[in-house]
Amino acid sequence: MTNAKIDLARNINEDAMKLAVSKLNFILEKISKGGGQKKIDKQHAKGKMTARERVVYLIDDDAEFLEFGALAGYEMYEEYGGCPAAGVVTGLGKVNGRLCVIVANDATVKAGAWFPITGKNNLRAQEIAMENRLPIIYLVDSAGVFLPMQDEIFPDKEHFGRIFRNNAKMSSMGIPQIAAVMGSCVAGGAYLPIMSDEALIVDKTGSIFLAGPYLVKAAIGENTDKETLGGARTHSSISGVTDYKMPDDQTCLDTIKELIGNMGDFEKAGFNRIESKPPTENPENIYQIFPDAPTKPYDTLEILKCLVDDSKLTLYKEDYGKTIICAYARIDGWSVGIVANNRQVVKSAKGEIQFGGVIYSDSADKATRFIMNCNQKKIPLVFLHDVTGFMVGTRSEHGGIIKDGAKMVNAVSNSTVPKFTIVMGNSYGAGNYAMCGKAYDPRLIYAWPTAKVAVMGGVQAAKVLLQIQTASLKAKGEAIDEAAEKELYNKIKSRYDEQTTPYYAAARLWVDGIINPLDTRKVISMGIEAANHAPVEKFNTGVLQV
């Protein structure tokens, strides 16, 4: 390829990525408005800050806030007016110098009511707090379960009640929990403050009760008002449910900062960190390197050099299993082990052509050994996805691809060092599993705007499903002409393509969010800092086929 063609391709890539990032920023900006300006103004008229304003006020001035679940619920529940960010702001941020998980109900979205995805987002926040042994702060302002969908949020294992089970489990684990009731806290949700270590309530705006005035009247015929039933004075001086009565939101948040600042320190994992160095390669080169189409090859090592300190990588088994890159490096000073799909077409040691982004037996074997080594040496793992799956066909099956793939999945499953996953491009089929997809407990999993998550690509899925449907029709004696076949193919592909987008994945919390590729270093660094608060358990693979 001539230099002119290379420059043109890089320019096309850059334009495509910048457009994708611009779209992401536009969507996130809209989501940040919650239920809209009118609802925000209504909050302010009551003397209340919005959920996002509370989070900004709470975290340290110079601290980053790593939000997870910002796209949860995206384009879902449209029949009910939508549910931006699942009606709750969740993320990692430093409060008085200590990294905490923060959960803030957004009362501008259906009065902070819990949709099914709201429950999933809250549980994810608690999971992150438990895995990393981090203090968790709840800023409560919620009308409780969204009643039209109560059957999808109330009774099951991963539903609303799991929140309080987790409160109890975290308490037994010694994980600090602070709850601030800054608005409504009703029905089953009323258990959250008293199941936390300490509870604050804001006078005149905060309220806690199992049943509101109307339900009390209907149930037992008693007439009462909100303040008498469960206001700040009631719970601070009569019931003893809350520990601190606060005059306003700002004072409440200031008090939380003091409480966090008074905490002692806990045992650390002891991950290796030295002084951070920026990459010598310009990180913005990622925009030019990463292709504008998911089928195009590229040099994954070029991407890695834009992400790691000093652009320095120590490659493990460089000439073996070339469709997966395994390397030791540092990200923001932290020592990491990187497992990345190589998207270049390569030749194996036997001279066989191997397709980029496909996991072969030798690459699975290499990755398995590398993952085990990182566990042995207590080095956090970073997985970078652009994988179409494991190699198929007679030669691969005879060569034991299932066995080698199972070894890799075993090592990922039993890994005890923290794992962090970035879905750069394709994440298809069992490749998603082997590369530590959501089902394999990454501490954090984020996607670039170019990500695609599915069993297989839209083209392949459409061809497979078309063959099945066509065969079914023929078996019934029904003919299908070329035009009808094309229409059916396009219909299947369109539906499948929609379901493979990163927004579809982020809306359902298959990933914690979508990020600008330039934020990758920050996400991984904050993730390892969080993970460093939780000691690492002993690594054991169990039975491993060799």
Side-chain angles (χ1 to χ4, degrees), residues 256-434:
I256 293 174
K257 294 179 187 182
E258 292 176 14
L259 295 172
I260 292 291
N262 290 333
M263 289 180 185
D265 209 354
F266 298 92
E267 183 184 358
K268 296 287 196 297
F271 299 126
N272 186 297
R273 191 182 198 186
I274 61 174
E275 183 181 352
S276 175
K277 294 181 180 179
T280 55
E281 297 290 334
N282 185 354
E284 292 189 6
N285 287 348
I286 291 173
Y287 286 7
Q288 298 181 356
I289 300 165
F290 200 86
D292 65 315
T295 55
K296 293 182 179 179
Y298 59 93
D299 189 347
T300 307
L301 275 174
E302 285 191 49
I303 297 284
L304 298 183
K305 288 176 181 177
C306 295
L307 295 175
V308 304
D309 289 16
D310 218 18
S311 298
K312 183 179 178 183
L313 296 148
T314 302
L315 296 172
Y316 175 81
K317 293 184 182 288
E318 181 179 0
D319 297 322
Y320 177 71
K322 292 181 179 180
T323 64
I324 284 184
I325 296 169
C326 296
Y328 297 108
R330 289 190 181 272
I331 293 178
D332 197 23
W334 295 104
S335 173
V336 298
I338 295 173
V339 181
N341 302 112
N342 185 7
R343 280 304 308 269
Q344 288 187 311
V345 175
V346 298
K347 277 188 178 182
S348 72
K350 297 177 182 178
E352 299 166 349
I353 297 296
Q354 294 186 339
F355 300 104
V358 178
I359 302 175
Y360 290 79
S361 285
D362 55 356
S363 47
D365 177 68
K366 173 170 100 172
T368 300
R369 182 56 184 261
F370 182 74
I371 290 164
M372 294 168 72
N373 283 347
C374 286
N375 275 271
Q376 185 81 352
K377 294 186 282 190
K378 203 159 73 171
I379 298 175
L381 283 157
V382 175
F383 293 85
L384 297 169
H385 288 216
D386 198 346
V387 58
T388 53
F390 284 86
M391 190 59 189
V392 297
T394 305
R395 177 179 292 181
S396 292
E397 296 294 356
H398 290 183
I401 186 67
I402 295 174
K403 180 180 68 175
D404 292 316
K407 286 193 296 187
M408 186 174 173
V409 170
N410 187 318
V412 171
S413 301
N414 287 299
S415 180
T416 56
V417 294
K419 299 166 291 191
F420 302 91
T421 298
I422 303 294
V423 184
M424 303 188 302
N426 302 318
S427 186
Y428 293 154
N432 171 278
Y433 298 162

Side-chain angles (χ1 to χ4, degrees), residues 214-259:
Y214 295 125
L215 185 53
V216 168
K217 174 67 175 176
I220 63 174
E222 179 185 353
N223 289 308
T224 185
D225 61 80
K226 195 173 180 179
E227 278 297 308
T228 303
L229 184 63
R233 179 179 176 277
T234 294
H235 287 307
S236 295
S237 60
I238 300 173
S239 73
V241 166
T242 55
D243 305 304
Y244 307 93
K245 179 184 173 185
M246 300 285 107
D248 51 44
D249 279 12
Q250 288 85 352
T251 307
C252 182
L253 296 170
D254 285 335
T255 304
I256 293 174
K257 294 179 187 182
E258 292 176 14
L259 295 172

